[in-house]
Amino acid sequence: MTRNFALGGLLRLRRLEQDQAAGGLAAANAGTRESAAREAAARSVLSESTVTAGSLGAMHGIAAARASSRSMVAELSAVTAERRRRAEEAQQEYSAA
């Protein structure tokens, strides 16, 4: 007596895994786009700054603000790089699913 093995349940499980991987990939890509847009916006705003120092105190203030801005842009760059790495991992998981 041979009985056919029903593959319907296995196929549904496979589709669920693919759907989860696709959802993870979509979320990772959205995070990457959002982070890259924030970084680009920050760089754009900072590049348009045309402040001139009227005094030594103002010059020190401008230097401090620029250093702080540079640090914030570096952090945004790190976040963008991490999100890209996650998106690559999600792409690999989706390809494997």
Side-chain angles (χ1 to χ4, degrees):
M1 244 188 235
T2 60
R3 193 172 117 187
N4 289 339
F5 181 70
L7 295 176
L10 188 58
L11 183 59
R12 283 190 294 278
L13 178 62
R14 179 84 171 129
R15 285 186 183 145
L16 282 173
E17 289 174 343
Q18 288 175 334
D19 289 346
Q20 284 179 329
L25 178 58
N29 284 333
T32 299
R33 282 190 302 274
E34 184 241 340
S35 180
R38 288 177 62 198
E39 181 181 348
R43 287 182 185 276
S44 175
V45 167
L46 293 172
S47 69
E48 295 171 0
S49 176
T50 57
V51 178
T52 56
S55 68
L56 184 60
M59 187 182 301
H60 286 293
I62 291 169
R66 287 183 180 170
S68 175
S69 296
R70 199 171 317 130
S71 175
M72 287 187 286
V73 169
E75 287 179 23
L76 282 172
S77 294
V79 168
T80 301
E82 175 62 20
R83 287 187 173 180
R84 283 190 180 123
R85 186 192 61 75
R86 288 181 190 170
E88 289 172 7
E89 286 179 0
Q91 179 65 50
Q92 290 173 355
E93 289 176 12
Y94 178 72
S95 296

